[in-house]
Amino acid sequence: MEGKEIYGMLIDYEYCTGCHTCEVACAQEYDWEEGISGMKVMEIVEKLPNEEYYLVYLPFPTEVCSLCLGRIKKGQEPQCVKHCMAKCLEFGRLEDLMEKMKIKRRTVIFRPR
Amino acid sequence: MKTEAESIRTTAWSAGPGCHGGCGVIAFVKDGKLVKIEGDPDHPWNQGRLCARVLAMRQYVQHPKRIRRPLLRKGRRGEGEWEEISWDTAYDLIEERMKRIREEFGPESFIFAMGTGRDIGPWISLLAYSYGSPNVMFALSGNACYSPRIAALETFQGDYCVFDAGQWFEKRYDDPRFVLPRCMIIWGYNIHSTCPDNLFGHWIVDMMKRGTKIIVVDPRLTWFSSRAEVWLRIRPGTDSALAMGLLHVIVNEGLFDKDFLEKWTNGALLIRKDKNVLLREKDLNPYASSQNFCVWDERTKSVAIWDSEKLEFVPSNTVPSISCRVHLRDISGREIECETVWDVFKRRIEEYDPHTVQKITGVPEKEIVRAARYYAKSKPASIHWGVPIDMTPNVTPLCHAIACLWALTGNLDVPGGNVIARFAFDAVAYALPGSEGVIKLKSKEKDLTRIGRDKYGPFQKFIWRCQTDSAFEQIFTEKPYPIKGMWIQACNLLAGIGMDPKKWREALLKLDFVVGVDLFMTPTLMYADIVLPAATFLEKEGIRSWWVPLQCMKRVMRIDDCKSDAEINFELAKRFDPEFKWNSLEELFDDILKPSGIRFSELKERVWVFPPEGHPSHPYLRYEKGLLRKDKKPGFQTPTGKFELYSVLREEWGYEPMPLHEEPPFTPLSRPDLAEEYPLILSTGRRSPVYFHSEHRMIPYLRSIDPDPVVEIHPKTAQKYGIEDGAYVYVENWMGKAKFRARVTPVVPEWMVMATHGWWFPERDPKEPELFGVWESNINLLIPMGQNGKDGLGAPIKHLLCKIYRA
């Protein structure tokens, strides 16, 4: 298996509902103490023209995210991807994720530390 | 040698996640300890996903503060002095005390209180009914969660229904029988909390990804409303006016399904104008049935009879007029003027033109029209409603109006519409609205003393709990009989479910004997005499037939002396009932499962089972196929066999038989006097994705995500009152006050604040007066009891009045 540098996480922030599953899934897997997780979810209330607003949740990998490479080697998904309630997280090779990003709006690719 | 953890497949329901979902999980257990839990990728319900609450199970199940042994109170109630006792001692003490109360005051003087059910319902009923008491109490004012909606639909539709997400099929969205709804109205429901009412919130997200468009009814900016085609930002408590407004547009623009109206509703029945009631065959013929109704036959230009038992017209070739005004003679020869239900219904909705509805609801007229057209023109379309529907006194007429929306648009029990939901294989454990279960009272006479039964129609026909506000009152008045004890199971009266909670404390103090069953010590259980340690879903065997699929829970581990609610209640039920008919819990499970032809041992192997095609608990279009009624005739299980635009039962009970809006008791419109001092609308109960009601505050993973009780305040409102984001504020009204952290955010409108519910602080001193801080941030301190609908249902939990100021 190649190194971590070729992998990343595609996040479809149109569909993240802010359920915090990814945070706890990671905490359980790595036995983090509370408050630490490989994922964090931010809430952003975007102000738009005409007094309109758009509510977005953005999950992103933190400094402790390892992309679950240990699980990947065993043929499993990262814990956060596996459990995501909105199925809005995808793990993969950066070049493959890039192709997916071309056809889906409101997405972002993260390459963690 | 390193041993592998054993993996066991089971269902997450009841204590643990707390919610009403039925997610498939795989628990990894090693040396009797839970090492990990994951979503079951093969389970059609959650398809491998899991929420934060289940993923935090390791911290829950092995939590150091779990109650692990039965406790006997020492000292005064609330002092928090306990002695650990054995199960045998606990059972003996409870048996003796409860039998003494039964002998002296009768079994009905003991109330059996539960929280929001989950798997508690059958087992608390088993205990109450074996003891002989009909008084099982769901402890929320106006029974205002789910039961009112079910009872309402039983009343005019005969069966409950839910949005279709292909949950009836193993392959779900890919099953060829399923059709994706083109539009969904999401009415008072936020995705975060995920699994209310035996549904999985993210199914809606799955469908949105596949192309379903949404219309949202909500005063708050939510994830859904941000993504809606139309967002109807309603003033809380005016939902019934909005539903009538939508009907107004749909009917007046001819966007309804005329075929369904004529064939499957009772729109053609005649209403006599002199008394404003349905014309019955008995009005024309003294020897005829009072349960048969009349229509105007277009063919013969005379009255014809709708035989409600045979579900046919007499004469059989009658062509009923859907719209007419006729003059008839009753038995005394007096002339009476009659109109059809449909004509009267149309006149009722005429009162709710979009302009009028805008004035009531605050929703712009053009948005009402746009939403109505969008919903009615999208086929199929469904409506998903949340608990705010129950949390208003006008709940039943509101349900009626919304049900008319899905019925008149031809979306009832069709693929992708609102699909009738029945217990899997019709295996019913205990009496729920509209159904009789295996667990029931020994005789109908035993039910006569049930509190609220005489007073309220739905409580005689569909709701087998006591009416909570009446029970609450009776504890103090002791009329018509005294209440002497309470069994409190998975129910945090003081912190979560009880409105006016300080008065509930007084109620508990008044009782001679209180038993509490729970997993953690709570403010409520500080008033118990004996506390019994209950189990999480991982420590219990159980069955679940709530809609589909049929599921089971398997014990994967044990924690000290904790027992499942079923085990606890089974043991005591045996002691109370000399004729108790089951020898083991498994025998009882098998009895409940009997209609499915599957035994518990087999269900444990399979974990979940779907009812087959052709079974009444399998869709679609069952009213056409004769799968809903006991007599197998096509139609609905209602007094007329039709979907009732005009409710026969409501007429008989003396309530308004057609939908309408009634302004709730404490709003700026109904109480301008109060609004002067309390100018903001107080809405409560905004859900957190990491908590279920008053649960989970002691779970570190979850608490770290949502640490404080929060009230949401609009930036302009916050500025007006000098409140910064994160500051502590008091929310106050004539009932009391509670302290919250201000979350200054435009998600709420300027004229409303939203306070979270269920707050107590398990980390604080359990003893009085601190009582885990239960009086500090408890929004229920501001909510009265006893403000219910005319039928005893609903309560104003989401629309009160308040003021706010810096703490």
Side-chain angles (χ1 to χ4, degrees):
Chain A
M1 187 172 167
E2 292 154 287
K4 190 178 166 188
E5 65 281 356
I6 64 158
Y7 295 103
M9 183 101 72
L10 177 75
I11 289 166
D12 183 340
Y13 62 84
E14 180 177 2
Y15 288 109
C16 173
T17 60
C19 73
H20 298 276
T21 278
C22 51
E23 295 178 17
V24 182
C26 179
Q28 178 189 233
E29 180 73 13
Y30 297 103
D31 210 6
W32 297 117
E33 68 177 77
E34 65 269 22
I36 301 177
S37 172
M39 291 292 279
K40 273 286 171 202
V41 181
M42 285 193 304
E43 183 185 274
I44 301 148
V45 185
E46 293 178 29
K47 185 167 184 179
L48 307 175
N50 307 317
E51 281 298 305
E52 285 195 19
Y53 292 90
Y54 188 76
L55 184 59
V56 173
Y57 293 97
L58 182 63
F60 70 95
T62 71
E63 288 298 291
V64 301
C65 172
S66 63
L67 281 174
C68 281
L69 286 192
R71 284 177 60 88
I72 302 297
K73 280 184 197 144
K74 285 190 247 168
Q76 299 165 325
E77 292 172 294
Q79 272 287 2
C80 57
V81 174
K82 170 174 168 43
H83 285 111
C84 176
M85 296 285 270
K87 297 189 179 176
C88 67
L89 307 179
E90 196 173 339
F91 168 85
R93 298 164 68 96
L94 288 166
E95 57 199 70
D96 297 340
L97 296 180
M98 201 62 175
E99 290 306 307
K100 294 188 172 172
M101 193 177 197
K102 284 179 189 165
I103 52 170
K104 178 65 184 75
R105 290 182 301 177
R106 297 188 180 103
T107 48
V108 58
I109 295 172
F110 281 111
R111 190 190 145 195
R113 183 172 74 99
Chain B
M1 202 181 90
K2 211 174 142 187
T3 53
E4 284 286 308
E6 189 190 359
S7 65
I8 304 158
R9 179 174 269 181
T10 183
T11 308
W13 185 37
S14 77
C19 67
H20 296 293
C23 287
V25 298
I26 298 172
F28 296 85
V29 180
K30 195 175 161 187
D31 304 327
K33 282 197 151 187
L34 179 71
V35 291
K36 199 197 294 195
I37 192 158
E38 291 191 341
D40 184 345
D42 298 325
H43 202 294
W45 179 280
N46 50 314
Q47 299 165 317
R49 296 171 273 189
L50 267 190
C51 72
R53 298 187 306 277
V54 181
L55 290 166
M57 265 319 276
R58 210 172 51 206
Q59 289 188 340
Y60 191 123
V61 73
Q62 277 129 204
H63 197 288
K65 287 206 174 156
R66 281 278 301 271
I67 306 171
R68 285 156 192 266
R69 291 195 171 67
L71 302 172
L72 176 67
R73 179 172 60 80
K74 296 290 177 197
R76 279 187 305 108
R77 283 191 184 145
E79 268 188 346
E81 300 296 326
W82 304 96
E83 180 194 333
E84 285 190 355
I85 55 175
S86 70
W87 274 105
D88 284 341
T89 310
Y91 284 142
D92 289 347
L93 282 170
I94 293 167
E95 182 185 358
E96 192 226 314
R97 291 291 303 271
M98 284 179 69
K99 278 186 173 167
R100 215 192 308 153
I101 287 173
R102 182 166 68 179
E103 273 159 38
E104 212 174 318
F105 301 97
E108 63 277 9
S109 67
F110 217 96
I111 287 179
F112 296 77
M114 61 172 167
T116 178
R118 285 77 61 87
D119 74 329
I120 304 299
W123 320 129
I124 199 167
S125 302
L126 176 77
L127 180 63
Y129 299 162
S130 300
Y131 181 75
S133 172
N135 284 322
V136 176
M137 176 174 79
F138 165 55
L140 185 63
S141 176
N143 304 46
C145 178
Y146 205 43
S147 288
R149 275 175 288 159
I150 300 186
L153 292 194
E154 301 283 347
T155 304
F156 17 80
Q157 187 174 289
D159 272 287
Y160 196 66
C161 66
V162 298
F163 73 86
D164 190 2
Q167 62 267 50
W168 338 95
F169 312 119
E170 194 86 36
K171 287 188 177 158
R172 300 290 308 270
Y173 312 110
D174 297 331
D175 190 291
R177 289 165 291 189
F178 171 72
V179 177
L180 187 77
R182 286 187 57 206
C183 164
M184 267 188 87
I185 300 183
I186 297 166
W187 202 310
Y189 168 64
N190 195 8
I191 191 73
H192 281 329
S193 61
T194 67
C195 297
D197 309 348
N198 192 26
L199 295 161
F200 187 85
H202 283 76
W203 290 344
I204 303 174
V205 181
D206 296 345
M207 295 197 291
M208 286 168 71
K209 285 184 177 176
R210 288 164 172 79
T212 300
K213 303 290 182 202
I214 58 169
I215 294 169
V216 171
V217 182
D218 207 306
R220 289 177 74 244
L221 176 88
T222 64
W223 186 87
F224 278 133
S225 69
S226 279
R227 286 151 186 78
E229 295 300 308
V230 191
W231 173 24
L232 306 171
R233 191 172 214 182
I234 191 173
R235 174 168 68 86
T238 63
D239 306 63
S240 39
L242 179 62
M244 295 300 277
L246 297 173
L247 282 169
H248 184 281
V249 178
I250 289 167
V251 170
N252 279 295
E253 298 190 4
L255 301 175
F256 59 94
D257 184 332
K258 198 158 176 286
D259 198 50
F260 186 90
L261 167 73
E262 292 181 357
K263 201 164 174 199
W264 297 109
T265 76
N266 66 352
L269 299 188
L270 293 175
I271 290 176
R272 50 187 298 174
K273 289 199 75 182
D274 58 340
K275 294 181 179 167
N276 269 325
V277 294
L278 287 172
L279 181 69
R280 301 189 185 226
E281 189 184 9
K282 206 175 171 54
D283 294 335
L284 307 176
N285 170 0
Y287 306 108
S289 162
S290 64
Q291 290 308 311
N292 290 342
F293 302 91
C294 306
V295 295
W296 185 253
D297 187 352
E298 297 261 21
R299 202 176 46 84
T300 60
K301 303 289 175 209
S302 65
V303 169
I305 303 304
W306 171 249
D307 186 320
S308 293
E309 204 179 312
K310 296 188 179 141
L311 296 196
E312 58 190 32
F313 288 110
V314 183
S316 61
N317 56 354
T318 296
V319 179
S321 172
I322 192 74
S323 176
C324 63
R325 180 178 294 225
V326 292
H327 292 82
L328 307 168
R329 292 201 181 275
D330 71 2
I331 34 175
S332 60
R334 200 175 47 227
E335 189 180 272
I336 43 172
E337 191 185 354
C338 295
E339 283 180 289
T340 63
V341 162
W342 178 240
D343 283 343
V344 179
F345 182 86
K346 279 198 293 187
R347 205 160 51 240
R348 167 63 57 80
I349 57 179
E350 263 321 296
E351 296 167 32
Y352 298 91
D353 61 90
H355 183 67
T356 306
V357 173
Q358 172 177 338
K359 281 197 280 186
I360 302 170
T361 61
V363 179
E365 200 176 323
K366 65 174 196 322
E367 299 296 292
I368 297 166
V369 175
R370 205 153 71 84
R373 288 178 185 157
Y374 197 96
Y375 168 69
K377 288 179 183 175
S378 305
K379 293 278 161 62
S382 64
I383 301 177
H384 176 48
W385 54 15
V387 77
I389 302 295
D390 299 306
M391 291 186 164
T392 192
N394 196 41
V395 47
T396 311
L398 166 58
C399 290
H400 202 175
I402 294 176
C404 289
L405 281 169
W406 64 58
L408 287 176
T409 52
N411 280 307
L412 182 53
D413 212 29
V414 299
N418 278 80
V419 175
I420 284 171
R422 295 173 71 127
F423 289 88
F425 298 95
D426 287 332
V428 187
Y430 71 115
L432 272 163
S435 49
E436 262 193 30
V438 167
I439 297 163
K440 55 188 165 214
L441 277 165
K442 286 233 174 81
S443 67
K444 293 246 187 311
E445 287 68 47
K446 293 244 180 219
D447 191 49
L448 295 177
T449 52
R450 182 159 49 87
I451 301 167
R453 186 190 186 282
D454 289 346
K455 204 169 159 190
Y456 301 114
F459 287 77
Q460 294 151 26
K461 184 92 179 160
F462 300 122
I463 295 182
W464 311 117
R465 310 283 98 80
C466 55
Q467 203 281 341
T468 306
D469 304 76
S470 307
F472 177 69
E473 200 182 299
Q474 189 167 329
I475 294 172
F476 296 101
T477 63
E478 306 195 349
K479 300 270 183 323
Y481 55 84
I483 304 300
K484 290 292 168 184
M486 200 184 286
W487 176 275
I488 303 175
Q489 194 154 20
C491 175
N492 198 346
L493 259 172
L494 302 191
I497 201 169
M499 302 301 133
D500 200 357
K502 283 194 175 166
K503 193 113 190 271
W504 271 112
R505 174 183 168 274
E506 280 174 45
L508 294 179
L509 285 172
K510 210 170 167 299
L511 302 172
D512 289 351
F513 188 54
V514 177
V515 183
V517 188
D518 221 315
L519 293 96
F520 293 91
M521 187 53 74
T522 66
T524 308
L525 295 198
M526 294 301 287
Y527 297 91
D529 302 296
I530 292 177
V531 172
L532 304 175
T536 66
F537 76 91
L538 292 170
E539 305 152 58
K540 65 170 84 169
E541 309 264 273
I543 50 175
R544 174 184 162 98
S545 63
W546 190 11
W547 313 156
V548 296
L550 182 66
Q551 289 172 281
C552 79
M553 286 187 277
K554 290 190 285 189
R555 180 182 295 119
V556 306
M557 60 191 297
R558 279 189 185 276
I559 296 289
D560 290 336
D561 284 0
C562 300
K563 286 181 194 275
S564 75
D565 300 276
E567 285 177 284
I568 296 168
N569 294 18
F570 189 89
E571 170 61 28
L572 279 166
K574 264 196 309 198
R575 293 177 182 224
F576 289 135
D577 180 7
E579 295 156 32
F580 195 71
K581 64 180 199 186
W582 299 283
N583 294 306
S584 68
L585 206 45
E586 184 156 343
E587 242 179 56
L588 172 56
F589 291 162
D590 282 341
D591 217 5
I592 296 165
L593 292 172
K594 204 175 269 169
S596 70
I598 297 164
R599 295 176 76 91
F600 183 62
S601 52
E602 187 192 341
L603 185 61
K604 283 214 295 189
E605 294 292 313
R606 296 169 69 178
V607 189
W608 70 86
V609 185
F610 282 94
E613 186 87 44
H615 193 276
S617 55
H618 181 98
Y620 294 101
L621 288 167
R622 279 157 285 185
Y623 54 90
E624 286 186 357
K625 297 173 187 159
L627 287 169
L628 298 177
R629 294 172 56 90
K630 285 204 178 93
D631 60 15
K632 310 275 184 218
K633 290 184 197 298
F636 296 91
Q637 301 189 86
T638 57
T640 57
K642 304 279 192 181
F643 177 93
E644 298 194 341
L645 299 173
Y646 179 106
S647 167
V648 173
L649 287 170
R650 298 267 297 170
E651 181 198 286
E652 288 174 358
W653 291 332
Y655 307 131
E656 176 55 49
M658 284 195 181
L660 83 171
H661 172 66
E662 278 182 357
E663 188 64 22
F666 305 105
T667 73
L669 255 71
S670 60
R671 292 300 300 272
D673 55 325
L674 284 174
E676 265 179 46
E677 192 179 347
Y678 306 105
L680 294 166
I681 293 177
L682 168 63
S683 197
T684 72
R686 182 276 264 158
R687 300 296 194 255
S688 164
V690 295
Y691 298 136
F692 190 73
H693 296 302
S694 65
E695 297 172 38
H696 300 113
R697 303 305 191 284
M698 70 293 282
I699 308 300
Y701 281 159
L702 304 177
R703 185 71 179 275
S704 66
I705 290 168
D706 194 358
D708 300 309
V710 158
V711 61
E712 294 169 345
I713 307 168
H714 190 275
K716 284 185 186 159
T717 311
Q719 193 183 24
K720 185 174 168 188
Y721 295 103
I723 293 164
E724 300 109 53
D725 189 48
Y728 279 98
V729 296
Y730 279 112
V731 180
E732 183 176 326
N733 71 7
W734 61 96
M735 290 286 299
K737 65 175 181 180
K739 192 164 112 181
F740 294 88
R741 282 194 94 154
R743 184 160 175 253
V744 177
T745 167
V747 304
V748 282
E750 277 176 66
W751 38 263
M752 178 186 123
V753 297
M754 169 56 86
T756 47
H757 74 302
W759 273 95
W760 57 294
F761 304 90
E763 66 275 18
R764 294 203 198 159
D765 187 359
K767 297 184 181 69
E768 281 192 330
E770 175 75 16
L771 214 61
F772 294 110
V774 75
W775 308 128
E776 187 171 302
S777 303
N778 186 340
I779 197 61
N780 293 354
L781 289 164
L782 282 75
I783 305 177
M785 291 288 292
Q787 297 289 333
N788 316 120
K790 295 181 184 79
D791 55 6
L793 298 170
I797 296 170
K798 296 209 173 265
H799 38 70
L800 282 142
L801 295 166
C802 73
K803 62 180 177 185
I804 52 168
Y805 54 93
R806 279 198 74 126

